[in-house]
């Protein structure tokens, strides 16, 4: 009996990690993970973002990573990871990242719509379909067994498709502007402001 209880506890504990979320669990605040609601980006003390690059991984020069304003070519393959504030750089940040339709992660998780990482800077590959004009990426993350939190959404646009999409879907464009608010790449001002409020 004791061995069965220990096994059950070990299974429950593992599922608390965000990169072990089941595929049927949505990455939004309507879900509960281990008794706690997934926390919205705006409510998190530390602000974490999805960042992407299409630079060659074997290039001798450092890759340029972006959290907004990223445009891709038809059929692009990009790399994605998390950008965290300095206070989380050495922390065990684990995560599940999700994409909207039209792109798939490698290695595949949940039929390619999700990718996982055990450190904030672990990279995963995203292949964007030839017919895709827009992709949104977001992630749920946590340190160890704490409450899962959401990143801000990062929107990727196919080159020269942004103005066409604006004309077709004004409501969608307003959402994208919310996702792509300006922030300082070098200083996490949102993080500092929230910390000062505590």
């Amino acid at each position: 009996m004791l061995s069965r209880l220990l096994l059950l506890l070990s299974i429950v504990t593992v599922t608390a990690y965000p990169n072990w979320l089941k595929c049927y669990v949505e990455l939004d605040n309507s879900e509960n993970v281990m008794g706690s609601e997934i926390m919205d980006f705006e409510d998190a003390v530390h602000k974490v973002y999805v960042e992407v690059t299409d630079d060659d991984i074997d290039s001798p020069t450092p890759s340029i990573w972006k959290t907004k304003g990223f445009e891709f070519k038809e059929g692009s393959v990009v790399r994605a990871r998390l950008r965290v504030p300095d206070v989380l750089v050495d922390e065990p940040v684990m995560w599940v990242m999700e994409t909207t339709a039209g792109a798939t992660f490698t290695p595949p998780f949940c039929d390619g719509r999700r990718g996982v990482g055990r450190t904030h800077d672990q990279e995963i590959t995203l292949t964007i379909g030839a017919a895709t004009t827009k992709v949104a990426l977001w992630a749920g993350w946590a340190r160890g067994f704490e409450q899962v939190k959401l990143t801000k959404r990062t929107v990727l646009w196919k080159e020269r498709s942004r103005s066409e999409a604006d004309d077709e879907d004004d409501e969608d464009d307003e959402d994208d502007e919310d996702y792509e608010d300006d922030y300082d790449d070098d200083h996490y001002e949102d993080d500092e402001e929230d910390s000062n409020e505590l």
Side-chain angles (χ1 to χ4, degrees):
M1 178 64 74
L2 178 58
S3 61
R4 289 182 180 179
L5 178 59
L6 292 175
L7 176 60
L8 176 60
L9 289 174
S10 67
I11 292 173
V12 170
T13 300
V14 167
T15 59
Y17 282 93
N19 66 337
W20 288 112
L21 285 176
K22 301 299 184 183
C23 295
Y24 58 79
V25 177
E26 298 296 331
L27 284 180
D28 61 41
N29 64 1
S30 69
E31 295 284 3
N32 280 271
V33 179
M34 294 298 292
S36 296
E37 287 187 353
I38 296 178
M39 185 183 296
D40 281 332
F41 170 84
E42 291 79 9
D43 296 329
V45 173
H46 303 301
K47 306 305 183 186
V48 175
Y49 302 83
V50 173
E51 59 180 7
V52 295
T53 185
D54 58 1
D55 291 345
D56 188 342
I57 194 170
D58 296 321
S59 173
T61 58
S63 298
I64 298 175
W65 293 86
K66 294 185 177 181
T67 61
K68 63 175 184 174
F70 186 91
E71 295 188 338
F72 59 86
K73 296 180 175 62
E74 183 174 313
S76 287
V77 176
V78 303
R79 288 142 54 208
R81 65 184 187 185
L82 296 191
R83 176 181 296 187
V84 301
D86 290 344
V87 69
L88 296 180
V89 168
D90 296 322
E91 294 290 320
V93 174
M94 306 177 76
W95 48 269
V96 173
M97 191 179 297
E98 185 158 339
T99 178
T100 50
T104 55
F105 286 111
T106 303
F109 183 59
C110 298
D111 297 323
R113 68 185 176 93
R114 288 182 179 170
V116 300
R118 290 181 173 275
T119 61
H120 74 88
D121 55 356
Q122 180 177 337
E123 301 175 13
I124 55 176
T125 301
L126 182 74
T127 301
I128 303 173
T132 302
T133 59
K134 172 184 153 186
V135 173
L137 303 176
W138 69 100
W141 65 274
R143 293 176 295 182
F145 304 105
E146 68 181 12
Q147 184 177 9
V148 176
K149 305 162 191 67
L150 295 175
T151 66
K152 194 167 191 175
R153 291 201 178 203
T154 294
V155 179
L156 290 61
W157 291 89
K158 186 175 181 180
E159 288 182 339
R160 295 183 297 280
S161 69
R162 183 187 296 266
S163 60
E164 298 171 10
D166 288 346
D167 294 337
E168 294 174 2
D169 195 344
D170 291 337
E171 181 179 350
D172 209 25
D173 178 62
E174 290 177 2
D175 290 340
D176 294 334
E177 289 178 358
D178 290 339
Y179 297 150
E180 297 183 353
D181 288 339
D182 289 336
Y183 70 95
D184 191 319
D185 284 342
D186 296 320
H187 302 90
Y188 289 81
E189 295 179 343
D190 289 339
D191 198 9
E192 294 172 0
E193 290 173 3
D194 287 349
S195 296
N196 291 333
E197 293 175 3
L198 295 179

